[in-house]
Amino acid sequence: MAIESEVLVVGGGLAGLTSALAAAREGADVRLVSYKQSTLASASGLVDVLGYTPDGDGPLVDPFDAIPDLPESHPYRTVGVDAVRDALELFDDAADDYLGAHTDRNALVPTHGGTVKPTARYPASASAGLASADRDVLLVGFESLVDFDAPRAAAHLDAAGVPFDARGVTVPFPGDLRADAKVTRYAKLLDTNADVAVRGRDRPARDALADRVNTERDGEARVGFPAVLGDDDAAGVRAHLADRLGADVFEVPMGPPSLPGLRLEDALFDALDAAGASIETGNPVVAYDGEGRVERVYVEKNGARIPNSADQYVLATGGLVGKGVESDRERVYEPVFDCHVPHADDRYDWFDGDAFGDHDFARFGVRTDGDLRPTDSAGEPEFENVRAAGAVLGGYDFAAEKSGSGVSLATGYAAGLAAAEATR
């Protein structure tokens, strides 16, 4: 027996979650299916809109001003500036621990590599570290957490010309965690403020960490740590450290696995639950029925193919990295509905000989009509009831533009809204 819904979203990343939330809040019966856990665990937790133009100009001060001048093939041109703003409004309501809604201007947020990323929304945990402030910064790394080289990151920030002095130190984390300890282990110790052994005696983890850092401080007004400062009580951990240090405390966004990304995932799943959407993760969509209109998809579960039917579908499976777009030696393709992905016949034209050149593969993805329905090689919709959102879309280079989260939000919102409206 088929599992039925009005809107079925395929994909559990930011675009899929946003599509499902937008459709559910419009009153649709929504089901989200995803092969893997949300990709937000691999994300920094920063939400960009547009940091650089396709020509490399930037960092942009106001991303919204630049959107009308983007190429017509860009997803932002498809949905329009108003949809970008509406999507951010939906995000702001769902993720209430984020800042940046007070202005159209990009914030400049230091990252664990010592770069400065233009971003439209950022977690409260990163707010004290904004690069636009002129107060000096001490970056603190942990010996057992090798992904964050604080002295190197500080040197890169200085070289980037930030308006403050940055210095980095590396200290042992209280409790002598192993080098392969999960980031959640650091967070748990600080959440619970559990006792840790320091020089033969037990001390609360937060106090032990602050006191160790105080031996390294040289009057810096801000102290930045890798993004492991708690999970269940992240705000309490930062407040405790700030009081003990006598300085503002912030988290530096990290690579995967990312606690800010996991916190954002929790917030969005909570919002989906509140909106009444159903969610299934861990099982892939492997086939579909229909021609011109998708009648049902099949979810593989424990060796069986379970039919799922819906009036409307949203494809939000990711791009080349997320396996939402696949390639072999002969072609580039979308594996769920076999939607057309434009690409050169000669695969040597898919990339540039210069490692930092203009690579076609960076813009691979399905193309859509104005309603976000994937189109064939003639520009006609392949399915009347399928819309695409997020990194599965082509026509933009999210890595170079710093636009990945914004495109996922805007197209996810527009696709979910259109799918819900089409069920009426």
Side-chain angles (χ1 to χ4, degrees):
M1 182 175 180
I3 299 172
E4 298 182 354
S5 58
E6 290 182 317
V7 177
L8 191 146
V9 177
V10 184
L14 185 57
L17 293 171
T18 304
S19 293
L21 183 58
R25 288 192 173 184
E26 284 296 306
D29 177 14
V30 178
R31 181 174 178 79
L32 181 147
V33 294
S34 175
Y35 178 30
K36 299 177 181 179
Q37 287 294 117
S38 169
T39 54
L40 287 172
S42 299
S44 68
L46 301 178
V47 176
D48 49 34
V49 168
L50 187 67
Y52 298 85
T53 70
D55 294 328
D57 296 331
L60 298 174
V61 174
D62 186 338
F64 301 98
D65 275 351
I67 289 175
D69 295 326
L70 293 172
E72 289 188 8
S73 61
H74 200 288
Y76 280 150
R77 292 291 303 276
T78 302
V79 300
V81 174
D82 287 345
V84 182
R85 293 186 183 279
D86 290 344
L88 285 169
E89 186 175 337
L90 178 76
F91 175 85
D92 293 335
D93 182 70
D96 58 6
D97 193 40
Y98 271 67
L99 305 176
H102 65 291
T103 178
D104 284 349
R105 296 168 66 93
N106 276 325
L108 299 176
V109 181
T111 70
H112 71 292
T115 61
V116 176
K117 183 176 182 180
T119 188
R121 300 290 188 273
Y122 49 92
S125 65
S127 62
L130 297 186
S132 53
D134 61 1
R135 296 177 299 149
D136 292 348
V137 166
L138 174 67
L139 296 181
V140 177
F142 302 136
E143 292 176 355
S144 54
L145 194 64
V146 297
D147 288 344
F148 182 45
D149 186 332
R152 177 174 294 182
H156 286 176
L157 286 173
D158 279 337
V162 293
F164 54 84
D165 289 334
R167 190 169 60 89
V169 297
T170 302
V171 302
F173 188 86
D176 296 325
L177 292 182
R178 299 182 314 183
D180 61 349
K182 295 181 179 180
V183 294
T184 50
R185 175 65 175 142
Y186 295 86
K188 187 69 172 177
L189 276 174
L190 294 170
D191 270 338
T192 60
N193 203 19
D195 283 346
V196 294
V198 179
R199 294 189 180 93
R201 65 188 182 98
D202 289 342
R203 300 196 58 209
R206 299 179 190 180
D207 291 346
L209 176 57
D211 290 350
R212 181 65 184 84
V213 172
N214 264 330
T215 67
E216 301 284 353
R217 278 189 64 214
D218 189 21
E220 291 89 355
R222 300 184 285 171
V223 180
F225 294 87
V228 298
L229 300 185
D231 189 9
D232 296 331
D233 186 27
V237 172
R238 295 196 309 277
H240 190 120
L241 292 175
D243 181 66
R244 191 87 178 189
L245 290 167
D248 289 336
V249 168
F250 65 94
E251 288 186 318
V252 179
M254 301 286 290
S258 163
L259 269 177
L262 290 168
R263 295 172 194 146
L264 177 56
E265 176 186 85
D266 288 344
L268 294 177
F269 272 103
D270 286 347
L272 275 178
D273 284 340
S278 63
I279 303 163
E280 178 182 337
T281 61
N283 300 299
V285 173
V286 295
Y288 73 94
D289 290 334
E291 185 173 346
R293 179 179 179 85
V294 173
E295 300 297 335
R296 66 189 60 83
V297 299
Y298 293 90
V299 176
E300 188 171 74
K301 187 174 183 179
N302 298 326
R305 291 191 170 190
I306 311 299
N308 283 245
S309 62
D311 296 323
Q312 300 290 319
Y313 298 82
V314 176
L315 177 68
T317 46
L320 282 169
V321 175
K323 303 299 184 181
V325 175
E326 298 270 19
S327 68
D328 54 32
R329 296 182 69 87
E330 303 299 327
R331 68 184 185 118
V332 183
Y333 59 97
E334 183 278 307
V336 174
F337 298 117
D338 197 25
C339 294
H340 173 65
V341 177
H343 61 279
D345 291 334
D346 187 341
R347 69 188 191 87
Y348 288 98
D349 291 332
W350 299 354
F351 56 88
D352 190 276
D354 182 351
F356 298 100
D358 184 21
H359 300 287
D360 276 3
F361 70 77
R363 293 182 291 276
F364 281 168
V366 302
R367 300 299 174 92
T368 71
D369 65 6
D371 202 30
L372 289 175
R373 294 177 299 180
T375 55
D376 60 21
S377 58
E380 296 297 321
E382 299 200 69
F383 305 99
E384 65 177 79
N385 63 334
V386 174
R387 290 166 180 82
V392 75
L393 296 171
Y396 75 114
D397 184 345
F398 69 87
E401 297 171 3
K402 308 302 180 195
S403 62
S405 297
V407 168
S408 289
L409 283 172
T411 59
Y413 171 82
L417 195 65
E421 290 175 348
T423 66
R424 294 171 182 162

